[in-house]
Amino acid sequence: MNKVPNRKAICDVLMEKAKTDKDIVVLCSDSRGSASLAPFFVAFPEQSVEVGIAEQDLVGISAGLASAGKKPFAASPACFLSTRSYEQCKVDVAYSRTNVKLIGISGGISYGALGMSHHSAQDIAAMSAIPNMRVYLPSDRFQTAKLIEALLEDQQGAYIRVGRNPVEDVYTEDNCPFEMDKATVVTEGTDVTIVACGEMVYPAKQAAELLAKEGISAEVLDMYCVKPLDKEAIIKSASKTKAVIAVEEHSPFGGLGSMVAQVVGENCPKRVICMALPDAPVITGTSKEVFDYYGLNAEGIAAKAKEAIQA
Amino acid sequence: MANLKAMSFDFRKDVVDMIMSGKGGHIGGDMSILDCLIELYYEQMNVSPENWGDPNRDRFVMSKGHSVEALYTVLGHRGFFSLDECIATFSKFGSPYIGHPNNKIPGIEMNSGSLGHGLPVAVGMALAGRMDKRDYRVYVAMGDGELAEGSVWEGFMSGGHYKLDNLCAILDINNLQISGTTEEVMNHTNIVNQVADFGWHVIECDGHDFASLKAAFDEAKATKGLPSCVILHTTKGYGAKIMENKAGWHHHLPNEEEYKEIVEELMARKEAALNE
Ligand SMILES: Cc1ncc(C[n+]2csc(CCOP(=O)(O)OP(=O)(O)O)c2C)c(N)n1
Ligand SMILES: [Mg+2]
């Protein structure tokens, strides 16, 4: 069982790069502990900014820093970053084209029993709907590190959502294929396509293993780049399989599933099943309890995949 | 008076039991706001299970929603719901008693958890009371770290602008937030003047002294023509030394040893209060 959460992987990359790149600035809103960024604040006090519990200020200050040539990483719980400071993200980051990397931590339903105020099941839809904004949901710690390294190389704003808990590794240290803005084919297959992002990639991979035992060949795409969506990868896979399953830790509206359905519908029409959280405050529980309850686990995904290709 | 003080330590034990049961909670802020909640629900506010739902009831909004364990404890003792059931199921799978206020639970007016929402909502409730010529009062509790949210100051502005004397803002000044002291994280140079400048009558009190609390809320009630803000000087984690004034105890889950130590000290302080 991996013990390193993706947020820690982000801190590790930033700590390494900040040694030589003095333009990297990390900003937190009383969130450095939950962001695993406390070590950065200790090691690089000159490159750290604390704004207090003020997410609008957080993103506004980041945009100002970026416009003056800095490379700000603003880290705050995804629920607040994607709603409280939404207008700053839209106007000051995306519209003004400032190079702010918005790190949404404890995303989705990571905060479990803390309730809907702390869940960000709308962030993919909200952020994706903003022109110029890019949206990334890396699946494991290795991919998270590669993504952050790639994002350090570009000059454009982006929203990155990671979860709170450590997630099982999808890849390994030596084998983590990564091409910026291209989906990773985790498992190749021919009967059914499973497109997943973030924490749902691992159960999707497990589902493919379950399906393989029953003689069903599933292709799993890790769509960490929700926007810009890797349409070619979806079309290529969906063109050879019988049906498509999209899985995400998000509301059923406007997220990965909606986007996948659009692409498949336009280019290679066939059945698409969107697996997501319900359009309701989710049941009280830990992430695992909640995922299990709504069937967002290997068994649930495998069952839907079977249903999809039989229909 | 001595009774409320003694009672407050029993209530603190309930808070700790709830957090142990749910394996998490915001213990520090619970302990700093608890005495204020007891004063409000036992001495000040016209709200009870009997008049819950009556449009004339007084309203309380927990803007620092993470201190929900303290609120559940006081509401449970006041009979809004079974405290035993709340403690047993807190934060567990399928429980209605989640880690922030939710108005599916009797006694809770508004859902919160995201800081900086309570004051504007309370302004709305107070405005409605004025529009409908009802004489209820509205109370809203905020943390000192929470004061960094701009929406808090928009609420101070509108409350002052509309001279809502049926509105009472409460600031739990425990000088701590998650990342450290409020002074180092985001300082408020002079909170008394800052709030007063927005057109509020500001009253300071000792947030753990029931006579001081009573005097402050009585004065707020008697203040006409402008809203009041009661500033509570409190100790985060109040009740046991190991959790007092420590940023790390914002949401620390006590281990078994710490639990025992806390309960022992709470009971000792209760005895002392009874003998006072
Ligand atoms: C909008 C928003 N940002 C961040 C948080 C996360 N958070 C929960 S409690 C807390 C610290 C609160 O400090 P303070 O207001 O001083 O409360 P207290 O000390 O009374 O616990 C933070 C940052 C939140 N709940 N809401
Ligand atoms: Mg505080």
Side-chain angles (χ1 to χ4, degrees), chain A residues 84-115:
Chain A
R84 191 56 153 277
S85 48
Y86 188 51
E87 193 170 274
Q88 278 75 17
C89 295
K90 175 185 155 201
V91 176
D92 307 331
V93 178
Y95 189 31
S96 295
R97 284 188 171 276
T98 53
N99 178 21
V100 178
K101 301 298 167 13
L102 302 153
I103 310 289
I105 55 165
S106 302
I109 50 135
S110 294
Y111 278 130
L114 292 184

Side-chain angles (χ1 to χ4, degrees), chain A residues 55 80, chain B residues 64 66 113 115 143-146 149 174 176 236 250:
Chain A
E55 295 78 10
F80 311 128
Chain B
K64 45 170 256 175
H66 56 282
L115 296 166
D144 47 3
E146 178 177 6
E149 288 288 0
N174 57 27
L176 286 175
K236 199 158 177 170
H250 174 76

Side-chain angles (χ1 to χ4, degrees), chain A residues 30-32 50-55 80 84 113-115 117-118 283-285 289 293, chain B residues 91-95 98-100 113-117 145 148-149 151 177-179 186:
Chain A
D30 201 12
S31 50
R32 72 183 81 158
E50 172 61 67
V51 303
I53 309 170
E55 295 78 10
F80 311 128
R84 191 56 153 277
L114 292 184
S117 63
H118 280 57
I283 193 161
T284 309
E289 287 168 339
Y293 184 75
Chain B
S91 282
K92 291 186 181 149
F93 184 66
S95 175
I98 64 171
H100 285 108
S114 177
L115 296 166
H117 284 243
E149 288 288 0
S151 52
Q177 50 194 109
I178 297 180
S179 312
M186 189 48 65

Side-chain angles (χ1 to χ4, degrees), chain A residues 217-239:
Chain A
S217 159
E219 178 148 297
V220 177
L221 299 185
D222 178 345
M223 193 61 71
Y224 74 87
C225 46
V226 174
K227 188 186 172 196
L229 188 72
D230 185 356
K231 293 181 187 169
E232 282 68 38
I234 296 170
I235 297 167
K236 189 174 163 209
S237 182
S239 300

